[in-house]
Amino acid sequence: MWNSMQYCLIPAYDSRPGKVYVVEAGGLITTAATGALTISPTISTSNAAGTTLGASIAQTVPASSLSGPWYLKMILTCRATGAPGGSNATILGHGFFISGGVAATANSGLQVTFGGTAATYDHSVAQSIWISKTLSVAGSWTTQFVDLTAMN
């Protein structure tokens, strides 16, 4: 969806138990036909897709949606940290993705929830929150903004 090392980077030693991070993003999505969308979040030291934080189900997208705006939000909480080196910390997150449907078509909006899986990581090394998408149908995807905020 975006360059996580540039926009969603958690600095080394920033995590502590109870620390909350919020990822927000938005843009435009166009679909050419009915297909499926899967949202997959992960925490890693590189721009690499994964599902360590819990992927969504493959949700059906509306047919022929033209440049509909989308919005994504994920709230992550550090649950534990340990001695530096290795997988010494745990983070848990939950999120949602929403997008409008097709004009004048009831119940064609798109809502996808994801997350719910605790992931381990090394809090002594900078980590990125990478949220990838798999769209099984032809279309276009534009990300217009991304923000990672540390809440406390």
Side-chain angles (χ1 to χ4, degrees):
M1 288 185 168
W2 59 80
N3 181 342
S4 64
M5 296 301 287
Q6 182 176 0
Y7 298 111
C8 290
L9 191 66
I10 298 175
Y13 294 107
D14 190 60
S15 296
R16 66 180 183 283
K19 180 104 183 214
V20 175
Y21 301 94
V22 177
V23 176
E24 292 181 281
L28 298 173
I29 182 174
T30 300
T31 59
T34 299
L37 172 67
T38 304
I39 307 290
S40 303
T42 195
I43 185 167
S44 70
T45 57
S46 65
N47 281 331
T51 59
T52 61
L53 290 165
S56 74
I57 62 168
Q59 182 66 48
T60 302
V61 298
S64 305
S65 176
L66 303 174
S67 287
W70 62 264
Y71 175 76
L72 176 145
K73 184 172 187 174
M74 184 173 196
I75 299 173
L76 300 126
T77 304
C78 176
R79 298 176 72 183
T81 58
S87 295
N88 55 18
T90 305
I91 197 164
L92 178 65
H94 293 83
F96 63 88
F97 170 94
I98 57 173
S99 180
V102 178
T105 305
N107 300 317
S108 67
L110 181 59
Q111 303 86 32
V112 181
T113 57
F114 55 89
T117 301
T120 58
Y121 64 104
D122 183 352
H123 77 98
S124 68
V125 178
Q127 300 282 332
S128 68
I129 303 299
W130 173 271
I131 301 177
S132 61
K133 53 98 173 122
T134 303
L135 186 58
S136 72
V137 64
S140 66
W141 187 283
T142 305
T143 301
Q144 296 176 319
F145 79 91
V146 177
D147 183 51
L148 173 70
T149 304
M151 300 305 291
N152 52 354

